[in-house]
Amino acid sequence: MSAHPIYNFSAGPAVLPEAVLRTAQQEMLDYNGTGFPVMAMSHRSDMFLSILHHAEQDLRQLLNIPSNYKILFLQGGATTQFNMVAMNLAHGFATADAVVTGNWSRIAYEQMSRLSNAEIRLAAHGGEQYAYKNLPSVEDWDVNPNSAFVHFAINETVNGLQYQNVPKLSDGLPPLVCDMSSEILSREFNVSDYGLIYAGAQKNIGPAGATVVIIREDLLER
């Protein structure tokens, strides 16, 4: 029986390459000849810090991430970032903007509105009464120049809407915050067009529960 590659086109977790799965399997009990697995390592050990360093450098190279952006590997899944973005980046601002084009950006908008003292403005809407079949162009977004940020999801898999032309805001407007969970590492884009990018790893690049955050250094001050 010949082996055929399996392609998963559903909106759920992606299929990882067999070579990656087999390497993880082999190293489950013994990582790189150390005699114990990664899960039993101290997160402060030189061995684990080396793993972390290489993971960061690989991602930085693949996405051509500029040196003034930091990479964070966090827990909680991408939905935790709905909270973290609002609680951190909106601090000290009267408003923040949100673009709602489907299920995930709607949940993010609702969650941010509960957790921030700032008013979360609806900068654009994809038409819930039409089951989100309308994707408002970036030129139609009603962005407040004084807002803390503009949040959107680039690919709404539940509703089948994707910004095929990667959005970019004009100079002088707030930083763009993007939920890129459904498509990170599937195509090239300019990281410098964004203030913060976050993605649940399980869609394309890793196990459920891990989240990648790419954030411009000046926003860390918030």
Side-chain angles (χ1 to χ4, degrees), residues 40-115:
M41 288 181 185
S42 166
H43 61 284
R44 298 184 178 90
S45 68
D46 290 341
M47 181 64 71
F48 182 79
L49 291 177
S50 174
I51 295 171
L52 191 64
H53 171 76
H54 282 94
E56 177 180 333
Q57 292 305 310
D58 286 347
L59 188 62
R60 193 173 289 278
Q61 181 178 358
L62 285 167
L63 290 177
N64 194 25
I65 300 174
S67 60
N68 64 322
Y69 282 75
K70 297 296 185 183
I71 299 172
L72 310 177
F73 297 105
L74 303 176
Q75 297 170 311
T79 52
T80 300
Q81 292 306 310
F82 301 166
N83 308 337
M84 299 302 292
V85 166
M87 295 170 69
N88 286 279
L89 297 189
H91 182 68
F93 286 80
T95 62
D97 289 351
V99 176
V100 176
T101 54
N103 180 70
W104 294 112
S105 54
R106 175 186 59 80
I107 296 173
Y109 168 63
E110 293 172 352
Q111 192 70 8
M112 288 178 179
S113 298
R114 296 188 189 105
L115 289 170

Side-chain angles (χ1 to χ4, degrees), residues 82 98-106 108 135 141 150-157 161-163 167 176-183 198:
F82 301 166
V99 176
V100 176
T101 54
N103 180 70
W104 294 112
S105 54
R106 175 186 59 80
L135 197 62
W141 292 3
V150 182
H151 178 275
F152 81 109
I154 197 167
N155 187 3
E156 289 280 8
T157 52
L161 291 175
Q162 179 194 40
Y163 279 102
L176 200 54
V177 174
C178 181
D179 178 355
M180 208 172 278
S181 298
S182 298
E183 65 167 58
Y198 65 90

